Amino acid sequence: MLKHDELGLSNDNVLEMYRLMVLARRIDERMWLLNRAGKIPFVVSCQGQEAQQVAAAFALDRSKDYTAPYYRDVGVVLALGMTAKELMLQAFAKAEDPNSAGRQMPGHFGSQKLRILSGSSPVTTQVPHAVGIGLACKMNQDSSIAYVTLGEGSTNQGDFHEGANFAAVHKLPVIIMVENNQYAISVPLNRQVACEKISDRAIGYGMPGVTVDGNNPLVVYQAVKEAADRARSGNGPSLIETISYRLTPHSSDDNERTYRSSEEVEQAKEKDGLIVFKQYLIENNVLTEDLDAEIEKQVKEEIDQATDYAETAPYPSPESLYHGVYYE
Amino acid sequence: MAQMTMIQAITDALRTELKNDENVLVFGEDVGQNGGVFRATEGLQAEFGEDRVFDTPLAESGIGGLAIGLATQGFRPVPEIQFFGFVYEVMDSISGQMARMRYRSGNTMNAPITIRSPFGGGVHTPEMHADSLEGLMAQQPGLKVVIPSNPYDAKGLLIASIRDNDPVIFLEHMKLYRSFRDEVPEEAYEVELGKAKVTREGNDITFIAYGAMVQASVKAAEELEKEGISAEVIDLRTVSPLDTETIVESVKKTGRAVVVQEAQRQAGVAAHIVAEIQERAILHLEAPVLRVAAPDTVYAFTQAEEVWLPNHNDIVEKAKEVINY
């Protein structure tokens, strides 16, 4: 099995990656509790995809690269520097939410400061946007790259095709990462695509495409790093497919019992990237159960504080709805 | 001052802004090497290079999305949609994305994009080339919708659009492209967005129009003058935001109005203007405000185009109805 030191990752690096994965998972779990308690209107989960998300973000240059994440990417935005508090402000739709000032659904990330492009509900629109950012990076010659993610169902959208094609024609510094979690809400992969792998689609655009195990953050890191190096050196875009499984229903408003069995979900949980990575870290003497308990404790405190803060923060005023429609 | 057609004035505006601001980029289908299907971008790639004036793959949604990504990084993209009937392919980029970028980011991002596109009837184009879809655009908060009626305005409005910090849909009526010339200054100048122009002064009735219907309205006014009726003509220049003040001021003076649009009648810009007039000037009205518009059918096939399109005779007729009410 691939080892983190072979990838140039230190013990501290992988421990920080693990902490962010745990943080993402526990934030998500807390949001479900808050939703079921009637305190926040909606949750759309990252559970089952945190490992690949954090690993991919770590393979970028987080000081200068641009990202256009999709709505499950809690792990990506945390790794880029968004805080639990900011995510909770978004979940509670409070005025101080840096993503949208309380105007957008949870999971619709955006931050000028962190170079995260504002995303919206129609899926895959972020792909051509990221390609535009890739073109801007190329024109500015600042060696930044654009990283965009989407679900496997979204690769059926025209915007996936139009964006990927343009990026390849102009050899733009873009990484398109498809987080294949097996379901587009209720429709399984085999009712979404006829090709064997989503990465097979890359050949149609003339770009490299790989499929990796999304539950193994080290192979995801390796694939994204290679793609980032390729993009940065002027060799164009890449398509990466990461295979994992959505461990929760599509959202807090979805009933997964109508389309998949609990046995299937339970089986997938055994391969959960978070658990796989914890095992790896323990086996490689990077993590101990004691240290893990300490991480969990700190994460819980951070989320408690974030929740308390966000719950009592003010909502945007109704008058504010007139602002930001046009330049003022 | 040079005499220019509207298409030349548009090319001149693009050249002016490409020269003036290195963040201005012009792209779209066939706009580079070919200079555009109407030659609006002729010579610009040769002058400014392939980085700043470039051909895109044939993919309208991709063009819109690309513009958004570039705009968020400080560029001022001026993409062309080859014919505005093809806008449906890029509707989400326009109405779902660029128009809302500022709002949904809590005013931290913006999308200063100017989408240029030819539209309008009377030049025997095939299906989906001639449709007047400005009403669809005008209903979207966050967008500005600009429609010049002459070469001078075309240059000044296009420069103002490119410099504007919000997304602008800039619609160029195909029939006006080469139908007449105007004095167009060589230097850069702006015609203010959101400001209508009183093209012709009059006292008995106000015609409110935009695009090719301005000419038709002026022609109608000239005919009515022979009969002793003095018509004022307002050229909206910008359909959204609408210059309601100028419209209402004129109607208060004349007491009568006809609103003219080339688009189909239902739920159009004209209907909105009529509503604004009723709300703001009803006590000044001597007669109901009427509309001249195309029938509520799909844009006519070529043989029936002249029957389908509103013209100056329709305006004269409608004006007499109002006058004789």
Side-chain angles (χ1 to χ4, degrees):
Chain A
M1 190 180 168
L2 186 65
K3 295 286 170 64
H4 62 277
D5 46 1
E6 296 168 41
L7 297 167
L9 289 167
S10 68
N11 286 359
D12 285 349
N13 290 153
V14 286
L15 269 179
E16 177 58 7
M17 285 166 68
Y18 176 68
R19 187 188 72 82
L20 289 165
M21 292 170 201
V22 172
L23 181 61
R25 174 69 57 90
R26 303 299 172 234
I27 287 172
D28 201 274
E29 289 171 347
R30 179 66 61 88
M31 286 185 182
W32 278 86
L33 288 175
L34 291 165
N35 173 265
R36 294 307 190 232
K39 293 195 173 191
I40 63 171
F42 188 74
V43 189
V44 64
S45 279
C46 61
Q47 293 188 40
Q49 298 171 229
E50 302 92 334
Q52 63 200 278
Q53 292 169 354
V54 172
F58 266 67
L60 302 174
D61 184 336
R62 288 176 287 157
S63 69
K64 66 178 184 187
D65 289 341
Y66 295 88
T67 66
Y70 91 122
Y71 55 85
R72 296 197 190 281
D73 277 329
V74 178
V76 171
V77 298
L78 284 173
L80 292 169
M82 200 170 284
T83 64
K85 182 170 118 177
E86 289 169 332
L87 288 169
M88 281 297 173
L89 283 164
Q90 183 187 40
F92 279 94
K94 295 301 177 75
E96 209 186 318
D97 157 35
N99 295 281
S100 75
R103 292 172 172 187
Q104 281 260 44
M105 289 170 86
H108 292 47
F109 310 109
S111 167
Q112 187 77 346
K113 187 181 74 176
L114 300 173
R115 295 170 306 284
I116 299 170
L117 183 72
S118 167
S120 70
S121 295
V123 297
T124 331
T125 54
Q126 71 274 22
V127 174
H129 299 176
V131 172
I133 293 175
L135 180 57
C137 293
K138 187 181 175 188
M139 293 183 74
N140 290 332
Q141 298 178 329
D142 63 1
S143 79
S144 298
I145 65 170
Y147 166 81
V148 59
T149 63
L150 62 157
E152 79 289 348
S154 295
T155 65
N156 300 319
Q157 289 274 21
D159 270 356
F160 173 77
H161 171 71
E162 296 191 21
N165 182 61
F166 189 93
V169 168
H170 289 270
K171 279 194 174 303
L172 298 183
V174 175
I175 300 172
I176 302 170
M177 185 167 122
V178 177
E179 298 183 32
N180 181 350
N181 66 12
Q182 316 295 327
Y183 285 90
I185 302 190
S186 66
V187 182
L189 188 59
N190 65 7
R191 291 283 171 219
Q192 286 282 343
V193 299
C195 50
E196 190 187 333
K197 293 179 295 195
I198 297 292
S199 63
D200 291 344
R201 296 188 158 182
I203 196 167
Y205 305 114
M207 69 169 81
V210 292
T211 295
V212 296
D213 177 5
N215 290 325
N216 181 343
L218 297 179
V219 298
V220 174
Y221 177 92
Q222 185 178 39
V224 177
K225 190 78 173 54
E226 280 173 14
D229 290 345
R230 193 156 45 232
R232 236 180 279 285
S233 55
N235 291 314
S238 307
L239 178 65
I240 298 168
E241 175 188 21
T242 55
I243 307 276
S244 65
Y245 190 88
R246 197 187 75 208
L247 296 178
T248 62
H250 163 68
S251 76
S252 51
D253 295 339
D254 174 39
N255 176 13
E256 64 181 4
R257 299 293 165 84
T258 63
Y259 55 84
R260 64 183 186 184
S261 68
S262 51
E263 291 76 26
E264 183 186 304
V265 179
E266 289 310 312
Q267 272 174 17
K269 281 182 180 170
E270 290 169 18
K271 296 179 197 158
D272 178 357
L274 188 63
I275 296 170
V276 170
F277 199 45
K278 180 182 165 183
Q279 281 311 120
Y280 167 86
L281 294 175
I282 289 173
E283 281 164 18
N284 286 275
N285 303 315
V286 181
L287 183 71
T288 61
E289 290 292 352
D290 283 350
L291 182 53
D292 186 44
E294 182 57 30
I295 289 171
E296 291 280 6
K297 183 167 163 271
Q298 284 174 10
V299 160
K300 183 174 179 306
E301 280 169 17
E302 192 176 338
I303 296 171
D304 286 347
Q305 284 171 13
T307 308
D308 290 347
Y309 183 91
E311 196 173 359
T312 53
Y315 284 108
S317 69
E319 296 76 37
S320 72
L321 73 85
Y322 294 105
H323 296 294
V325 181
Y326 291 98
Y327 175 75
E328 290 157 42
Chain B
M1 238 185 290
Q3 288 278 330
M4 290 188 200
T5 61
M6 192 167 95
I7 194 88
Q8 288 169 331
I10 287 165
T11 311
D12 193 45
L14 292 170
R15 183 181 291 110
T16 302
E17 286 311 277
L18 280 161
K19 217 178 275 179
N20 172 56
D21 181 354
E22 62 177 16
N23 290 316
V24 172
L25 305 174
V26 170
F27 54 89
E29 294 156 6
D30 308 298
V31 306
Q33 180 73 21
N34 190 39
V37 293
F38 288 100
R39 301 289 173 268
T41 55
E42 189 152 47
L44 298 180
Q45 188 178 65
E47 190 173 346
F48 297 98
E50 287 183 27
D51 282 349
R52 298 193 56 210
V53 179
F54 57 91
D55 289 317
T56 64
L58 209 172
E60 284 85 10
S61 184
I63 292 170
L66 187 77
I68 292 165
L70 287 163
T72 62
Q73 302 311 311
F75 288 95
R76 287 190 176 262
V78 189
E80 176 179 296
I81 299 299
Q82 199 160 65
F83 289 93
F84 206 56
F86 309 164
V87 74
Y88 298 109
E89 300 280 357
V90 62
M91 273 299 279
D92 182 67
S93 283
I94 295 172
S95 292
Q97 306 297 318
M98 62 184 77
R100 297 159 193 250
M101 187 58 80
R102 181 185 296 285
Y103 190 80
R104 77 164 191 240
S105 67
N107 215 356
T108 60
M109 302 179 192
N110 67 336
I113 297 162
T114 301
I115 295 185
R116 288 183 42 252
S117 191
F119 82 112
V123 292
H124 305 320
T125 53
E127 193 199 5
M128 302 292 287
H129 289 65
D131 296 51
S132 290
L133 302 172
E134 67 279 3
L136 287 179
M137 299 292 120
Q139 206 178 34
Q140 176 59 53
L143 286 183
K144 293 181 180 178
V145 185
V146 177
I147 307 179
S149 70
N150 60 72
Y152 177 89
D153 282 1
K155 180 173 173 182
L157 287 168
L158 183 52
I159 290 175
S161 298
I162 294 168
R163 293 178 183 179
D164 197 81
N165 288 322
D166 290 307
V168 176
I169 307 298
F170 191 89
L171 298 175
E172 303 164 1
H173 200 292
M174 285 184 275
K175 201 172 181 182
L176 300 177
Y177 267 157
R178 294 181 170 87
S179 63
F180 62 100
R181 287 169 191 272
D182 242 0
E183 295 275 314
V184 176
E186 274 158 46
E187 70 270 16
Y189 63 92
E190 292 186 41
V191 171
E192 189 184 348
L193 305 187
K195 194 85 194 100
K197 181 188 173 195
V198 179
T199 294
R200 186 183 196 279
E201 289 196 17
N203 297 312
D204 301 328
I205 187 165
T206 303
F207 297 152
I208 299 138
Y210 54 94
M213 289 297 116
V214 174
Q215 266 190 326
S217 298
V218 169
K219 197 170 173 193
E222 284 163 358
E223 289 204 2
L224 287 165
E225 195 172 14
K226 293 174 198 158
E227 301 178 33
I229 298 166
S230 158
E232 181 145 303
V233 178
I234 294 178
D235 177 355
L236 289 177
R237 302 203 277 204
T238 301
V239 161
S240 176
L242 191 66
D243 183 0
T244 313
E245 293 312 309
T246 299
I247 296 168
V248 168
E249 202 180 307
S250 172
V251 174
K252 280 182 178 171
K253 178 178 78 175
T254 61
R256 296 179 179 86
V258 170
V259 190
V260 190
Q261 69 176 25
E262 187 178 311
Q264 289 87 339
R265 187 178 174 85
Q266 180 170 306
V269 170
H272 174 68
I273 293 168
V274 173
E276 289 285 348
I277 294 170
Q278 319 281 20
E279 287 174 19
R280 294 172 194 242
I282 196 154
L283 295 179
H284 297 266
L285 290 176
E286 303 289 343
V289 180
L290 299 185
R291 278 175 292 170
V292 172
D296 286 322
T297 67
V298 171
Y299 188 90
F301 45 93
T302 298
Q303 295 88 330
E305 203 177 24
E306 295 310 321
V307 178
W308 190 88
L309 283 168
N311 60 30
H312 67 282
N313 291 326
D314 301 325
I315 303 169
V316 168
E317 200 177 302
K318 214 44 102 172
K320 286 183 178 172
E321 244 182 86
V322 174
I323 300 273
N324 298 325
Y325 178 74

